[in-house]
Amino acid sequence: MSGVIVGFGVIASIVAIGYMLGRLSLLGPGAREVLSRLAFYVASPALLFTILARTDLSILLSPPVLVSVLSVVVVALAFLVVGVIRRWGVGRTTVGVLGSSYVNAGNLGIPIASYVLGDASLVAPILLFQLLVLAPVSLTVLDLNNGNVRGVWPVFRRSLGTPVRNPVVIASLAGVAVSASGWVPPEPLMEPFDLVGGMAVPAMLLAFGISLHGSAMPGKGGPEQIPVLLAVALKSVVQPLVAWVLGALVFGMEGAALFSVVVLAALPTAQNVFNYATQYRTGEVLTREVVLLTTLLTVPVLFAVTFLLG
């Protein structure tokens, strides 16, 4: 479990620095928004391009990938159904779906996969699914919801064009295209992407830390209490349980393979979700609390998974 401790220690340290920056107002009143926009429009696309361009796409054709994808789909649909029934609104429900299912496969999943599972590439399939399916669909819905588009044809035309106008999606598709082509870009060409992409995770974590200053403690009531508790329960408890049921009982997985898919499902909500909510100015409190609570709960959940399956 040393990998879990190291991964969370790094994240907690950067978030704490962000909190102090917000408390001391060293970067000014607009620091959070600037950092979020830097991560969304510049650093994250560069990071995702480098990751996907170097990923072997053949890993997508394996049972663990199906288990990971199905576990995400199950909890996402669960939140969606409740959101529709409770009439939480399109934007709020969409970011809630992301908060309940979008795992932190990047800045936390990679170190945990490396130190706990022994193979960093294990996070690539779930990362690809989230970047190429879950994120584009959700961002398209948020774009359409914020765009005040009316009429069947305008909505259809905008829905087709929205994914290719989003920098995160564009970079992801470009990375997949490079990987699928078999071309290996020379290192001097990739170096600028590596340098700029290296800002993504710190920028997102610092922005998250800044947002915590002056915020109420999570779970203290208010209109977001029920969506927050639902998303946290789905992410921290239901998703790893679904992964175990599918892996063990449906696909007949066992040992290290089963352990890896359950660990990946138990990862907390990705910081990207808060970044998306900030960019679209919807569900920011909801996503901030879900990210924080699921991150705190992941340590005991991973210890439990390790004790039962490790």
Side-chain angles (χ1 to χ4, degrees), residues 101 172 181 199 261 294:
S101 61
S172 300
S181 69
M199 295 190 296
V261 295
T294 56

Side-chain angles (χ1 to χ4, degrees), residues 173-223:
L173 293 176
V176 169
V178 171
S179 178
S181 69
W183 176 57
V184 179
E187 285 304 314
L189 180 62
M190 295 296 291
E191 187 65 21
F193 292 98
D194 289 328
L195 288 174
V196 175
M199 295 190 296
V201 172
M204 287 186 289
L205 294 176
L206 288 173
F208 181 63
I210 292 173
S211 74
L212 294 178
H213 174 60
S215 300
M217 289 295 294
K220 288 293 185 178

Side-chain angles (χ1 to χ4, degrees), residues 66-277:
L66 291 177
V67 173
S68 296
V69 169
L70 289 174
S71 66
V72 169
V73 171
V74 168
V75 294
L77 289 177
F79 191 97
L80 176 62
V81 170
V82 176
V84 171
I85 294 175
R86 296 296 298 267
R87 298 181 180 180
W88 285 336
V90 175
R92 194 175 174 205
T93 300
T94 301
V95 296
V97 165
L98 289 174
S100 63
S101 61
Y102 203 112
V103 305
N104 193 334
N107 56 309
L108 184 58
I110 290 176
I112 286 182
S114 299
Y115 294 108
V116 178
L117 305 179
D119 186 0
S121 67
L122 291 172
V123 302
I126 188 65
L127 186 63
L128 284 170
F129 172 73
Q130 291 180 161
L131 295 176
L132 300 181
V133 179
L134 191 58
V137 171
S138 301
L139 294 177
T140 298
V141 171
L142 291 173
D143 270 330
L144 293 174
N145 185 56
N146 288 359
N148 298 317
V149 181
R150 298 292 184 270
V152 176
W153 172 244
V155 168
F156 178 73
R157 184 175 59 186
R158 184 178 178 88
S159 65
L160 290 178
T162 293
V164 296
R165 290 195 299 266
N166 187 287
V168 173
V169 180
I170 293 172
S172 300
L173 293 176
V176 169
V178 171
S179 178
S181 69
W183 176 57
V184 179
E187 285 304 314
L189 180 62
M190 295 296 291
E191 187 65 21
F193 292 98
D194 289 328
L195 288 174
V196 175
M199 295 190 296
V201 172
M204 287 186 289
L205 294 176
L206 288 173
F208 181 63
I210 292 173
S211 74
L212 294 178
H213 174 60
S215 300
M217 289 295 294
K220 288 293 185 178
E224 302 292 359
Q225 183 178 33
I226 295 179
V228 166
L229 294 178
L230 175 62
V232 170
L234 288 172
K235 182 71 214 64
S236 298
V237 179
V238 177
Q239 189 168 355
L241 181 60
V242 169
W244 178 82
V245 170
L246 290 173
L249 304 182
V250 178
F251 290 90
M253 298 171 61
E254 57 184 15
L258 179 61
F259 178 65
S260 66
V261 295
V262 176
V263 166
L264 293 178
L267 292 173
T269 302
Q271 179 61 35
N272 304 47
V273 177
F274 175 71
N275 201 34
Y276 297 154

Side-chain angles (χ1 to χ4, degrees), residues 29-49:
R32 188 196 70 175
E33 183 174 356
V34 170
L35 287 171
S36 295
R37 294 175 71 86
L38 173 66
F40 184 81
Y41 288 105
V42 182
S44 290
L47 175 63
L48 298 176
F49 173 75

